[in-house]
Amino acid sequence: MWQEWNLPELRVMSIQANVNVVKLEPSEDSTFDYWLQVATLEKGYPLRIPVQLAAYHKQVIKDRKLNTSVALHKRQGIWWLTLSFDEEPPLATEVDAERVGVDVGIKNFLTTSHGKTYGSFHGKLARKHKRDRAKRRRKAKMRACLQKKGVPKAQLPSTSSAPSQRLSRQVKQDINRAINEVLKDHPHARIIYEDLSVSSMRFKAKQMNAYLYASQLGHIPDHLAWACARRGQAAHSVNPAYSSQECPRCHYVDRANRPNQQTFCCVVCGFSAPADHKAAGTLASRWGDQELAACRGLEQIKALLMQRHEEGKKNQQRARVPGPPLQLSLWPQPEEFLEQYHA
C-alpha cells in the first residue's frame, strides 16, 4: 500500500559557508568590530550585517588569523556566528624520545611495537557488515530486475541504506577510540606509522574487497596524524613496503616468511614472532633510514633489503673465520722476559 514519504523537518537552521558566499571583514570606521558580507542573487548588491564581539571573544582571537569559512546558526530566533582559527600546539616530544611503531590491520586496527593491540573490526562490526551487505545485494538484484521491466529510474529502490551509514560512523568512532588509547598509553613517545594507501589494495574475492572497504583503514593514518598534532606529539609516516615480509634480524624478504596471517617465521634465520607485532617493530626501525626513504618503487626497496641481507651474511662469515691460535699462559711470554732483561 502506497504511503506518503516522511519528509524531513528542518528544526535547526545552519549555514556552513566559505568566502565565496559569506565574507567576514574587519570594521575600520564603525562602532562594530566586523561586518559580515553575505552574497545575494543580485550581483554587486551583497547584504552587510554588523558583528559585535564580547570582551571574551576579542581576547580569544587576539593575534590570531581567522579562517575564511564561517558558520551561522539560528537558535531561539537569534542568529549566532561561529568563527574558527588554526592553532598549532608546540611540539612536546623530546629528540631522544622512545619510538613506537604502529601497524594497521583489519583484525586489529592498531598494533604497537610493544605487542599491544587496540580495536578490531572482527566480531560485532563484522556481523553488522555481513547483514548490511546481504541487504544491499538483495536491493541491487531487485533494482536490476525492475530496470529490465522498464520501471522509471526515479521509482527504482536505492542501494544505499541507513544501517550502512551508521556502520561507517561506528567503525570510525571505534578507530578514533583506539587511537586515543594508543596515545594515552604512550604520551611521550614518537609515533611511527605506515603511509598506508588503501586505494591500491585489492583482493581477488569481492567479499574481501567489501570487507576492506567497510573497515575504514584509510581513516587511520589521517586521524592518527591529526590526533598527534593536536597533542603536540611527534608522528612520522614511513614507507611500509615489505614491512610484513622483512626479517628484522637478517633482512631477508620473502612471502614464505608469512606461513599464515598471524605468524611471521623467517625461512633463513628462523626468527619467529606475531606478524603484526613484528611489522610494527619494523616500521619503528625505518624512521630515519634515509637510504630506504630515497628508494622509488617496490623493486628498489626490495633490492636494498636483499643487499643488506647479503652484507649481513658476509659479516657473519667473517666472524666465523678462525683466527691464529692463541697461547694461554699464566707466565709472561718470552718477549716480555727479554724486555725486562734488557731494561
Side-chain angles (χ1 to χ4, degrees):
M1 182 177 179
W2 172 259
Q3 294 181 355
E4 292 291 337
W5 289 97
N6 186 14
L7 298 178
E9 180 183 355
L10 184 60
R11 298 179 180 177
V12 180
M13 188 174 295
S14 177
I15 301 175
Q16 301 282 345
N18 57 8
V19 69
N20 297 329
V21 181
V22 179
K23 184 177 180 181
L24 187 68
E25 298 178 343
S27 178
E28 297 180 357
D29 51 356
S30 175
T31 57
F32 300 102
D33 298 318
Y34 290 92
W35 286 94
L36 195 65
Q37 179 178 321
V38 183
T40 61
L41 297 179
E42 297 182 11
K43 186 176 181 181
Y45 294 93
L47 178 64
R48 294 181 178 272
I49 304 174
V51 178
Q52 183 68 37
L53 301 181
Y56 168 75
H57 299 148
K58 296 178 182 179
Q59 182 181 359
V60 172
I61 65 175
K62 184 180 179 181
D63 300 331
R64 301 182 187 276
K65 184 178 179 181
L66 299 177
N67 294 331
T68 57
S69 60
V70 298
L72 292 169
H73 305 275
K74 189 176 182 180
R75 300 172 185 170
Q76 299 179 356
I78 301 176
W79 284 95
W80 295 84
L81 175 65
T82 302
L83 306 177
S84 62
F85 56 86
D86 295 332
E87 183 179 10
E88 296 184 3
L91 188 63
T93 306
E94 299 293 338
V95 178
D96 56 347
E98 177 191 12
R99 289 183 291 181
V100 176
V102 177
D103 181 66
V104 176
I106 298 179
K107 181 181 178 181
N108 299 310
F109 285 140
L110 301 172
T111 303
T112 64
S113 52
H114 292 176
K116 190 174 180 180
T117 59
Y118 301 84
S120 176
F121 188 74
H122 287 187
K124 185 177 180 180
L125 294 178
R127 290 192 295 270
K128 284 187 176 182
H129 163 68
K130 187 177 180 180
R131 291 194 299 267
D132 178 69
R133 184 169 182 268
K135 182 178 180 180
R136 286 188 286 109
R137 286 169 63 89
R138 290 194 301 268
K139 293 177 68 174
K141 290 181 181 179
M142 182 185 298
R143 182 185 178 93
C145 182
L146 294 176
Q147 276 183 333
K148 290 182 180 180
K149 292 183 178 181
V151 177
K153 187 176 181 180
Q155 299 180 6
L156 294 176
S158 175
T159 55
S160 62
S161 61
S164 177
Q165 298 176 1
R166 288 196 298 266
L167 175 63
S168 178
R169 291 193 296 267
Q170 184 178 356
V171 172
K172 289 185 178 181
Q173 289 174 0
D174 287 3
I175 290 175
N176 298 347
R177 190 178 299 109
I179 290 176
N180 291 336
E181 290 177 0
V182 171
L183 300 183
K184 182 180 178 181
D185 292 343
H186 309 282
H188 306 294
R190 187 181 300 273
I191 304 299
I192 314 297
Y193 62 96
E194 53 184 316
D195 188 8
L196 188 65
S197 176
V198 183
S199 59
S200 60
M201 299 172 63
R202 288 292 183 273
F203 295 98
K204 294 182 180 180
K206 293 183 179 180
Q207 183 178 359
M208 288 301 301
N209 289 326
Y211 200 70
L212 174 65
Y213 176 77
S215 62
Q216 301 286 344
L217 295 186
H219 175 69
I220 297 179
D222 296 336
H223 189 77
L224 182 59
W226 176 84
C228 290
R230 183 183 178 184
R231 291 169 170 80
Q233 189 171 356
H236 311 274
S237 62
V238 295
N239 195 329
Y242 300 105
S243 60
S244 62
Q245 302 178 15
E246 178 192 2
C247 177
R249 180 185 295 171
C250 66
H251 301 287
Y252 183 71
V253 177
D254 198 330
R255 287 186 178 181
N257 290 344
R258 295 288 299 274
N260 52 58
Q261 188 67 23
Q262 294 80 21
T263 309
F264 177 91
C265 184
C266 182
V267 296
V268 175
C269 67
F271 176 84
S272 179
D276 295 341
H277 182 195
K278 195 282 314 175
T282 302
L283 294 174
S285 64
R286 288 188 177 185
W287 181 72
D289 192 342
Q290 302 297 333
E291 191 176 11
L292 190 142
C295 294
R296 295 293 179 267
L298 297 178
E299 295 181 357
Q300 293 186 9
I301 295 176
K302 187 172 183 179
L304 174 63
L305 296 177
M306 295 304 295
Q307 179 184 354
R308 293 177 178 178
H309 171 68
E310 295 297 332
E311 292 176 355
K313 287 173 59 178
K314 292 179 181 179
N315 293 335
Q316 276 192 345
Q317 291 176 358
R318 292 195 193 100
R320 292 176 181 176
V321 174
L326 300 177
Q327 183 177 2
L328 301 178
S329 175
L330 298 177
W331 305 101
Q333 298 300 319
E335 293 80 7
E336 298 179 11
F337 275 117
L338 292 175
E339 290 176 1
Q340 294 176 1
Y341 179 78
H342 290 290

